[in-house]
Every structure is written in structure tokens, then in C-alpha cells.
Amino acid sequence: MLASAVLLAALVSPGAAADPPPADVVIYGATSGGIAAAVQVRRMDKSVLLIEPSSHLGGLTTGGLGATDIGNKAAIGGLSREFYTAVGEHYAHPEHWVYQRPEQYRSGKNKVRLDPENPEPFWTFEPHVATNVYEKWLKEVGVEPLTESPLDRSEGGVTMRDGRITAIKLKDGRTVRGDVFIDATYEGDLMAAAGVSYHVGREASSVYGESYNGVRPEMPYQGRVRSHYFIKPVDPYVVPGDPSSGVLPQVRSEPLPPVGSGDDGVQAYCFRLCATDVPSNRIPWPKPEGYDESLYELLFRNFEAGDLRIPWLHKMMPNRKSDSNNKYAISTDWIGQNHDYPEATDEERAEIIAAHENYQKGLMWSLANHPRVPAEIREYYSQWGLPKDEFEATGGWPPQLYVREARRMIGERVMTQADCQGRTAAEDPVGLAAYNMDSHNVWRYIDETGHVQNEGDVQRGGFPPYPISYRSIVPRREEATNLLVPVAVSASHIAYGSIRMEPVFMVLGQSAATAAVMAAEQDVPVQEVDYAALRERLLADGQILEWTGGGGRAERVAAKSLKGVVADDEAATFTGEWEHSVHVGPYVDRGYRAAEWDGRGERPTATFTLTAPHAGSYGLRISCVPHPNRATAAPVTVRRGDGGTATYALNQRQPRAGEAGPGYVASYVVGAPGERFTVTIGAAEEGYAIADAVQLYPLGETDAATDAAED
């Protein structure tokens, strides 16, 4: 059964059952945020009705996204943290490690702790584990979701009276009534049907004064790395060199609008594949019915042009499974093919989902089998396949499309880039966001050289967790007074890219439910819920509303304040996948990079180049604050201009004691000015390797700022 058929079956389900009884709170969308909201309502002793348009519960959290995206885990509290702790409890039992021993699992995100009585949050997991946690939660609080129950989104599907939603109609004819409603869908369907204002696409940078919004060609990650762009010239025409032959599929023929202008483009979607390399549990990549080789012509040409990077982001989960995401020029994101999705009918969406499924199945089959794919890449992908013990109803394929962004409400307050970067701060927080501003590509276009290029990828961090306003999850008062929207929140495109993470959706779902119960109890509009009382209850329930854990500007050390020559990570050259972070400070300038490696494929590296300004004795320092999740033996290679090479194994978990100061690697005597030093830091097989900055300083001229950056 196709995963897309899960939704289609819901759209044609026959026969109307009796109307369900009215509820204090009605939640539409059993995503991670919707489930957290339902549990919170019941824990506050109110009735709830949880409605899901498909048969799938849990959204992306149960749909393959097992490598939790969150910039700083300490920013996550409440039910969201309770969820990840429940995952940790599961993996604390040795019997749950079927395809590997616990000590064989390596992940920089967490360590296995075999102590089920004292579990800790575990941030990487198999899909069925997440499903089991949610199902247990719902059973414990007595919530039985209405699945395969899509909203009637035609005119009249939502009944409004004096600004209040009084009833919603489902496609099977049932009518649902409640005091307060929560739209927890990725698409914002209930919000839109209720007539609440929203935006689709990218605002122009001028709308909210944002430097990263709007059309953004060539936005390399933190200045240098071109992870999601073409790095080789690839011809975009059906007949190479002949524009009259037309463009290949997925390539925009029109010129891009001016930089920073708004458009209706939507960042690309994909399926977060759960894959395995265990032969007994592996289903070979299926070749989709009607396989269309032309959809992969750009892939083949890109390989033939010399881009031999493995095109997926591959994070290992327990039991030899992985969470696989988009990476590099051509990968699992089907760029430009989802723009109609947000406003499409249910039937049209089912077609778009099926097309994405067929594309991605064909992509994986091609990578493992097509003769125009290099042999070493075919061999690599042939070792992987879909797991037999996940998503059994759909042959191992995840049933949830990764809808990264669709509609975004325009509420009482719009979260913007200024919130992310701390230039403004919400005074009524209901949770924290902690990820960098993350937009995937929106278009493929023909650049000024006549070659294909991607557009829309923006990855900008360098800021600590920041507050999300209560007013960003409620509509304008004149539009709806008993609706909360914790998923399709009121945010600009670029700010939504930071907020839109599954742990945050659970945080906001819980906060929305708390406010909904208060509004129902007091019979007031959601806009008039007493924030002081709301805040008190959220804190009592373990929510984190303010960031006090560091990572702010006070913990940044300016490179220009350090002695000697400093090369920051933004001036380094990277291979492989490195994540920008501000988790642990102090750090130099805007943050640092972190990488983990499972010992397979190419080791990720970070290369810094420094030039000695004059002759003399120098010390070499690598900036890294020790932390328990760091690498115990990050390989470091120092190459000198005179041909000398030295290698070191750097333990980044422990400070390097000694009179030369923390982070000290070695001393060098430079005979003449202008000698170049090239320092390469590699990822290790245990823990995160950190690449922040490298300092070449005259011995005897150390500075306190450097010591602070590395204690």
C-alpha cells in the first residue's frame, strides 16, 4: 500500500457516524503538537476531542524524523521533555536493543544509559518507539482519536457566530462542537477555514525588515559551505547546450525575482526515510511503478560533472537504523514541486504526496541501481534499504510527508528574524525556540552562466534560545476568539524556519491547551487569558519560558580581541556535515561547528589557515569548551609552509592543563614572516568534534579572553 493512500483512504471513507459529544477543547490535527495538547487538556481535567484527517498519529515525530532537530536541548521542558525521557526509558532496557548492543550505538546527541529507574532524555529513536509513547499517553488519559476524519474545508465547513467557532463539519457529515478549538495541523486548515489571516510563501525582506527573508540565491551556510548547492557546472537543458530543447524537469525556466523580493514559493518537502543496513531486516529500495528516468537526469549529470558526494544526511538511530534527510545539490527534497500544496484540496494534496513518494522512491532506486550512478555510490546505497519492522502497513515507507512549511498565521504578533537574533523579545513567552533559521531550497533555476543552481537555502544561527510569544499562537481578536494555532504559528518565513521543530510544536501544543482550558473555564476570548496565571501554570508544568543557560552575547569572545592571528570557523573550509551551534559557551564570534562520524564514508573535516605575521615563537591553540558530549580523540593535523606535518589526538572533553593555557596544542618557531599554517580538525568516532577557532599567538602574549573561551 502506498503511504499516500493513507490520506486518500480518509478522503473517501464512507458513511457518517453519529456526531461526537461536545468537548471543552477540540483539537484538529494529531501531530506531535496536537497529541501534547490533548494530553494536557485531560491532565487539566477537561474533555477533549482529538481529530486527525489521516490514519497516522504523531506527525513527523512518528513519521521518520528520529534525529531530533533542536538547537539546545536545555530549552525544552514540559510534556516535550517528558516525551524524550520516555524514549530514554525505552532504550534503558537492554532487551530493546535487537540489532546492536547498547555500547555499539554512537551518537553525539546522547549516550545510552541502562538505568530505567532514572531515565534521561534520549533524542534519537526509531519511529515505532515514538508511536508507542504517544499511544501509551493517549490511553493513560482516556483519549481515543477520531482518525480518517478530514475537515470539510468547503464554505460552511466551519460555523462562526460573533467571532467564535461554534461547530466544524467533517467530510463524513459529522458535526463537532466545542468551547475552544486548537488547529494543530502543519497546514493550518482549520485556521484558514475559519477565515483567519495567513501567509503562504516568503515575505519580501522589506515587510518585517529581515535580511534573510525573500528570494535568496547563493546563501552559503555560515559563509563558506555550499552544502545544498551545485558545486559543479550542470547543464539544465533537455539537449545539453540547446535552450530551444526546453529545460529538464524541476528547473525553473523564468529568471528569479530580485534578491529579497517576496514570492509564493514554499521550501521543499521530502519524506524522512528510516533506513537500515541489517540484511535480515532490510527491504531493497523499491522501483516505483511508472519509473520516469527523466526525473533523475540532473542527478546523473551532476555525478558525471564530478560531484561525488553521498547525497543524503544520514543520522544513525538505535538498532542499526537511520533518519535520512536532504543533503547537497540533488537529494530527497523535491525542489519546486510542492508550491501548490498549502492551498490545494485534499484530493490534490493526495496527488502531490503520491508524486513526492514516487520521486523519492525512484531517487533511492536510482542511487542503488542506475548504471549512470558511480559504482561506489551504487554499492553504498545497496547496503541500505527500508526496515521490515517499521511502517509495516506501507512497506517500510513513512506515511507522513515532511511539510516543512505551509500556511503561517498572521496573528496578534508576528515572530520575525529580530526575535531569533535577540533584537526584540516577547514579553509573554509560552515556550522557547532554539534552532537556527533554517529554510530549505525553494527553486531550481538557470544562473547567469547558463547552468542549473538551487535557490532558497538559508542556514543562519549564532543566537541563543529565544522566547515565543503567546500572541503568536492566537489570531487577531476580530477574526476568531476561541481558536489557538500552535503549529502554523504567526511567524515570517525565516523565523518560522527556526521555530518549526517537533519538540517546539509539543511545547506550544501544551501551552495552547493550557490557555484553551483557562479560556473555557473563564468564558473569555483566548486573547484575554490572564498571562500571569497562564505563565504560573506553564512553569508549574515544567515549561521553560526564559533562557538562563548561557550562549548569549555575554559568552561570545570577539576574534579581534584575541592576540596574534585567529581563524574563526566562518573562515574555515569544511567537508562532510557540520552543524552550527551555540550550545556551550564561551565561543569565538558567532558560534562553532560540531560533527559526529560513525566511521563509514568520508570523515568530516574542518580546515583553518593562518599566516604568521613575523618571525618568532608561537603557540597554537584550538578553541573548544570541554563538555561530556565532546570527542575524546579528535584527529588534528598541523601542516607548515616549510613542509613539516604533525598529528595530534585532541581530547575535547577535558581541559588541557599546563602553563601554556587551555586548548594549547604545540609551540612553533617561525624563521621568517609569512609562513602558513594549515590546521585540520577531523570528526571522531566517539562524541562531537568541535571546530570553533584556531589561534596562532606570540608566546608570552596570551590573553584572558582566550583562556575564557577554552575553559
Side-chain angles (χ1 to χ4, degrees), residues 87 90-107 112 122 124-129 274-282 315-323 384-390 600:
V87 171
H90 172 87
Y91 288 115
H93 293 272
E95 64 269 23
H96 292 154
W97 294 85
V98 179
Y99 293 109
Q100 65 183 151
R101 296 189 304 275
E103 63 270 19
Q104 293 176 316
Y105 180 62
R106 292 171 178 169
S107 169
V112 180
F122 206 78
T124 53
F125 49 86
E126 301 158 273
H128 77 270
V129 175
C274 181
T276 183
D277 63 351
V278 177
S280 63
N281 194 36
R282 184 179 64 208
K315 298 279 189 177
M316 290 305 298
M317 303 298 104
N319 285 312
R320 296 304 311 171
K321 294 173 188 170
S322 72
D323 171 1
W384 293 91
L386 300 174
K388 295 178 181 178
D389 60 350
E390 301 285 353
R600 300 179 176 217

Side-chain angles (χ1 to χ4, degrees), residues 360-406:
Q360 201 164 332
K361 282 182 174 177
L363 173 74
M364 303 313 299
W365 183 89
S366 297
L367 288 168
N369 295 281
H370 201 283
R372 290 177 66 187
V373 172
E376 63 272 21
I377 293 178
R378 293 201 310 270
E379 180 179 358
Y380 170 81
Y381 279 102
S382 294
Q383 298 172 14
W384 293 91
L386 300 174
K388 295 178 181 178
D389 60 350
E390 301 285 353
F391 311 126
E392 295 180 33
T394 51
W397 194 266
Q400 175 68 57
L401 181 66
Y402 194 174
V403 178
R404 290 188 170 91
E405 185 176 21

Side-chain angles (χ1 to χ4, degrees), residues 426-432 467-470 531 534-535 538 545-546:
E427 297 177 352
D428 54 351
V430 288
L432 299 179
I468 302 170
S469 171
Y470 174 64
Y531 177 71
L534 173 62
R535 176 186 175 87
L538 296 180
L545 305 182
E546 295 171 343

